[in-house]
Amino acid sequence: MAASGSVIELRKSRVRAAAMQLEVAVKCVAACVQQVNGPELGELLIQIREAGIDPLEAAFATGVRRFDKSGEYAADGALSVTAWLKWKCKLSGGAAAERVEIGKQLERLPKTEEAFARGDLGYQHVAVIARTAENVGAAAVRTEERNFLKAAQSMDPGQFTTVAKNFEHRVDAAGALAEANRAYHRRYLHVGDPQDGIVRIDGLLDAEGGATVRAALTTQMKPIKDDDRTHGQRFADALVEFCRQGSGGKRDSSGPRPHLIIRASLDALAGIPGAPAGELEGGGTVPSETVQRHACDSALIRMTGRTELEHERNQASRTLRASTRRALEARDRRCVWPGCGRPAVWCDGHHLVWWTRGGESSLPNLALLCRPHHRQVHEGGWSLERRKEQWLVQPPGEIPVRVHARRE
Ligand SMILES: [Zn+2]
Ligand SMILES: [Zn+2]
């Protein structure tokens, strides 16, 4: 039965009143965030989640469920409540679908719904419970609901997911296997083409693949002394390093040899202004400084623009002989950069007087440098020199400040 005009007006004024009160509360909290400090600020942040965001998410989920059942979203022309949420509430497809699912499952999980509304359960924990209910049925989750709520109090969402997945496996091993197989089936990795010097990588792995990658990269991402790289940067460096070491090149005494081919003119190698960039075989360009770093030791560089004879001569002189590399590793043992110490297998043989400037590939002119520090010298403009038995580094335009005794 259609509501009368006065009933509709009453509802509209209730929505307006609720929205105004919400606005006042949000303004009060936003002002408070600017004014308090220390432990009080911490307490406020906790309250924002427990008394604000989580109970509001609970109310939102209930509202979404009722709105879905009413079919009212169709009045705006949306084909589903998820589509309506994306459009009107500015949520991503995943975020919208998650809230719809939470709304559905909470109807069958009253204890969880109550705890969520009270602010005793965080949104992400509720999302985990809802996913589990979706996978094994709300009835099965209800038998374990009390334990779930207890576990959620003391665990972060990641730990809590493990508890939920264990439960799913206990009550529905075949379902858990099917989910693992679905996850495995969805795996992919995309390495984009370079754009503005950036290559975007994205992908999905199943849990085992993800854990394998994380474990492998973690071994290579320990921070070094005075490391100012972010966690994400260390992760990225570890990935590149791992691929460099495993790229099918020889891991003999001359170090790993990745199949990285750069086409460069001699002008680029010499760093002459106006020289074209180096071209990576497989796409993308790199600046002269990067060409010079690779010329120092590792990559294959195909020269263009001058005579083959010159190419051959240069190619021969810059590549470290295995015996020279062995002697270099025996002397330096690891990256010589102050405080670094990455092992020799991660290092290039850097020419102190650059090979591109006529430096020789002989021991007195060489130093082991890990790739990030080798990059710091060539692309970063730092200088490295040995005075007596010590290694000195200095940033571009500064006096040497850090001294490092050579490890013997
Ligand atoms: Zn170098
Ligand atoms: Zn280093």
Side-chain angles (χ1 to χ4, degrees), residues 33 67 187 202 360:
V33 161
F67 196 61
R187 75 199 184 282
D202 63 270
E360 286 183 10

Side-chain angles (χ1 to χ4, degrees), residues 110-401:
K111 288 196 186 76
T112 305
E113 186 166 37
E114 279 167 32
F116 192 21
R118 278 197 308 270
D120 290 349
L121 259 186
Y123 175 82
Q124 287 183 296
H125 292 86
V126 174
V128 171
I129 295 174
R131 253 196 314 277
T132 297
E134 190 187 355
N135 291 342
V136 299
V141 172
R142 271 200 303 278
T143 64
E144 194 81 356
E145 206 174 358
R146 200 178 293 276
N147 289 336
F148 271 140
L149 297 184
K150 219 164 121 190
Q153 302 284 333
S154 59
M155 291 179 175
D156 67 40
Q159 297 166 322
F160 187 60
T161 301
T162 305
V163 169
K165 286 292 160 200
N166 274 331
F167 171 73
E168 285 180 31
H169 196 271
R170 280 206 318 272
V171 299
D172 183 12
L177 175 63
E179 189 194 61
N181 285 340
R182 275 197 306 277
Y184 181 68
H185 193 70
R186 290 179 66 196
R187 75 199 184 282
Y188 81 92
L189 184 70
H190 176 73
V191 181
D193 291 326
Q195 262 182 2
D196 301 329
I198 294 276
V199 171
R200 178 171 289 279
I201 296 180
D202 63 270
L204 289 176
L205 295 174
D206 68 338
E208 183 193 340
T212 306
V213 170
R214 184 182 293 277
L217 296 186
T218 302
T219 60
Q220 309 231 10
M221 61 184 291
K222 289 191 200 85
I224 52 175
K225 194 171 163 243
D226 299 330
D227 202 338
D228 58 0
R229 295 173 302 160
T230 63
H231 183 266
Q233 286 172 336
R234 286 191 285 119
F235 228 145
D237 288 350
L239 174 65
V240 174
E241 189 57 45
F242 201 80
C243 294
R244 216 190 296 260
Q245 291 185 21
S247 64
K250 282 194 297 176
R251 281 193 63 174
D252 58 10
S253 57
S254 58
R257 297 277 161 157
H259 296 301
L260 179 65
I261 297 175
I262 302 174
R263 206 179 308 275
S265 69
L266 286 174
D267 286 356
L269 269 171
I272 292 171
E279 285 175 37
L280 291 165
E281 199 163 270
T285 57
V286 291
S288 287
E289 288 78 3
T290 305
V291 174
Q292 289 168 339
R293 171 164 54 84
H294 283 291
C296 230
D297 189 18
S298 54
L300 298 171
I301 298 195
R302 289 196 178 138
M303 317 285 176
T304 58
R306 296 259 186 109
T307 65
E308 276 298 304
L309 183 68
E310 201 161 11
H311 166 190
E312 288 302 321
R313 199 185 68 215
N314 286 322
Q315 178 81 18
S317 66
R318 75 182 164 84
T319 307
L320 296 195
R321 286 198 307 273
S323 59
T324 311
R325 171 78 192 199
R326 276 198 297 274
L328 178 62
E329 287 190 7
R331 189 196 67 189
D332 290 346
R333 296 187 189 173
R334 53 199 72 209
C335 176
V336 301
W337 196 275
C340 178
R342 285 195 176 92
V345 70
W346 297 13
C347 293
D348 293 329
H350 168 66
H351 291 63
L352 296 174
V353 175
W354 295 3
W355 169 81
T356 53
R357 294 175 185 168
E360 286 183 10
S361 295
S362 59
L363 206 51
N365 190 41
L366 292 169
L368 278 185
L369 279 183
C370 70
R371 275 88 197 204
H373 284 133
H374 201 184
R375 196 177 193 290
Q376 194 122 329
V377 171
H378 287 273
E379 284 97 325
W382 283 61
S383 72
L384 167 78
E385 60 179 302
R386 189 172 51 218
R387 279 197 208 145
K388 297 179 181 159
E389 294 300 289
Q390 292 179 324
W391 291 101
L392 278 72
V393 293
Q394 65 180 43
E398 283 187 25
I399 313 291
V401 283

